[in-house]
Amino acid sequence: MREIIGNKTVLKYMEEAVSDNRILGTYLFEGASGTGKLMLARFFAASALCREGAKNVPCGNCSVCERIFSGIHPDVCEVTADEEKTGITVDEIRETVLSAQLTPTESDRKFYIIRPADKMNIQAQNALLKGIEEPPANVTYMLLADDITSLLPTVVSRSYKMKTEELSFESIYNALSEEFTNESKEKIRFASLLSSGSLGKAKLLLNDEEMTEARSKALLYVDAFVKGYDPIKRSLYLEQGQKKDSMLLVLSMINLAARDLLVVKYASEDTELMIYGSAEDAVRASEKANGRSIVKLFDITSELLRSANKNVNASCASSAVNTLI
């Protein structure tokens, strides 16, 4: 069992709920992808079902824990949406609700982890309502969602909400350093910076060569920007038609590069840089830069990144940045 990082409030609630035997019928775990929702849901189930742990914390080593954290325990059922599927169907949820009426196989409680719950279509959510309105006393549904606005208000209102936390840069950096001992510190630092508080996202970035390419594009873009190149030339490094994730990765790098230039231009000398490899490189770039233009670049990329979870269009994002004067 991997150690859970952060999420102290959620973990405290779980411990108290198991200790007081007041586990509810439906929970809604809300948080960005990669912030540990699945691990927390499995941990909750293991806390309730493990008989070897101490103080309502699962041992992580017994047969019960091993099967729960591997997703194969018969009383901790996981309903998932595969990448090939458009979502979780009404038939799958109807089957789940019917299954919940059956006696647990090995334990005194059954858990159903539905992920991602925001991939259920409307018919599936309505079918689930029949299950969560009056669940059997020994059944708990755990809904995992990146964006609860996709869920029916009636589903949300009948669920106890637990929001996962964004992790600090230091927490992610330390976790990656401990697990990926062969990776360079620089690469781990970039993955941690661009993770948006998500350890899962950081791991994907660390194993993705696209991150190195995105940094290179971002530095070339900012160099062209500070030299006053026209939008057509700059668009070579931030072209339209990229996939959203690729576009947002480059935007994140541009945002951090703009931040670095503002730091060396206006802040103290000992402030750590994020994208530039050396202070000398950043200083040279900042000397060519107009302060107001860099502020504009930083502000617009920050706003676009804040809108990332609102389905910002990648082509519109690149156009917005490229048209900056």
Side-chain angles (χ1 to χ4, degrees):
M1 179 184 74
R2 175 172 60 81
E3 179 186 0
I4 295 179
I5 303 171
N7 291 296
K8 303 292 188 207
T9 302
V10 174
L11 290 172
K12 182 180 180 182
Y13 172 87
M14 291 177 177
E15 182 179 338
E16 292 177 350
V18 173
S19 176
D20 299 340
N21 194 28
R22 54 177 176 81
I23 299 174
L24 304 178
T26 308
Y27 291 93
L28 174 56
F29 290 78
E30 177 195 4
S33 177
T35 52
K37 297 187 293 297
L38 177 58
M39 176 60 74
L40 286 167
R42 288 175 172 174
F43 187 90
F44 198 7
S47 298
L49 304 186
C50 174
R51 296 294 175 258
E52 305 296 328
K55 296 182 179 179
N56 305 305
V57 176
C59 71
N61 299 313
C62 67
S63 171
V64 171
C65 286
E66 287 181 352
R67 286 181 292 156
I68 289 175
F69 286 106
S70 298
I72 57 174
H73 194 287
D75 294 328
V76 184
C77 309
E78 299 189 9
V79 183
T80 64
D82 297 330
E83 290 184 4
E84 296 79 15
K85 293 162 51 178
T86 56
I88 299 174
T89 66
V90 63
D91 289 337
E92 289 173 300
I93 296 300
R94 284 172 179 162
E95 184 178 338
T96 297
V97 172
L98 286 174
S99 170
Q101 307 300 317
L102 303 177
T103 303
T105 303
E106 298 181 6
S107 317
D108 55 6
R109 175 171 287 274
K110 295 175 75 173
F111 291 86
Y112 288 89
I113 300 173
I114 301 175
R115 61 182 180 96
D118 43 350
K119 293 297 183 183
M120 288 187 291
N121 58 35
I122 298 299
Q123 292 81 2
Q125 292 186 51
N126 280 319
L128 180 64
L129 270 175
K130 296 178 181 179
I132 66 177
E133 284 175 341
E134 295 183 12
N138 61 347
V139 168
T140 293
Y141 292 98
M142 293 191 282
L143 316 180
L144 280 52
D146 295 353
D147 179 14
I148 65 171
T149 61
S150 300
L151 295 174
L152 293 172
T154 44
V155 171
V156 175
S157 65
R158 285 167 172 76
S159 306
Y160 184 90
K161 292 192 287 296
M162 292 198 285
K163 189 172 180 63
T164 56
E165 303 169 1
E166 291 185 359
L167 302 178
S168 67
F169 165 81
E170 291 77 12
S171 296
I172 294 176
Y173 181 87
N174 291 336
L176 293 180
S177 298
E178 184 176 336
E179 184 173 348
F180 299 92
T181 55
N182 294 326
E183 290 289 359
S184 69
K185 290 184 178 180
E186 183 181 54
K187 196 170 181 182
I188 288 175
R189 187 167 69 92
F190 285 146
S192 303
L193 285 169
L194 298 169
S195 65
S196 303
S198 163
L199 182 58
K201 181 178 179 180
K203 288 182 177 182
L204 290 175
L205 288 169
L206 197 60
N207 291 309
D208 190 351
E209 290 303 319
E210 189 178 9
M211 184 173 68
T212 303
E213 182 183 352
R215 181 194 177 215
S216 176
K217 284 184 176 180
L219 289 175
L220 288 169
Y221 183 92
V222 173
D223 183 63
F225 183 85
V226 299
K227 288 178 178 177
Y229 289 0
D230 62 58
I232 295 177
K233 288 185 177 179
R234 299 203 311 262
S235 68
L236 294 174
Y237 312 115
L238 191 63
E239 66 270 21
Q240 296 188 30
Q242 292 187 70
K243 291 182 179 178
K244 179 181 175 182
D245 289 346
S246 300
M247 171 64 68
L248 293 178
L249 184 57
V250 178
L251 281 177
S252 296
M253 294 278 194
I254 292 174
N255 179 260
L256 292 175
R259 173 263 182 203
D260 283 356
L261 296 186
L262 292 173
V263 163
V264 297
K265 206 170 185 67
Y266 301 116
S268 60
E269 293 182 0
D270 58 351
T271 304
E272 184 179 8
L273 300 180
M274 294 183 173
I275 292 297
Y276 282 88
S278 69
E280 291 77 14
D281 291 340
V283 168
R284 278 195 295 270
S286 71
E287 290 173 346
K288 306 171 190 173
N290 175 283
R292 288 185 178 181
S293 295
I294 294 300
V295 169
K296 282 184 179 181
L297 181 63
F298 178 79
D299 286 346
I300 194 168
T301 50
S302 296
E303 180 58 35
L304 289 168
L305 292 169
R306 279 194 292 270
S307 303
N309 291 326
K310 300 177 182 178
N311 296 318
V312 62
N313 181 279
S315 294
C316 292
S318 64
S319 296
V321 177
N322 283 330
T323 53
L324 271 175
I325 299 175

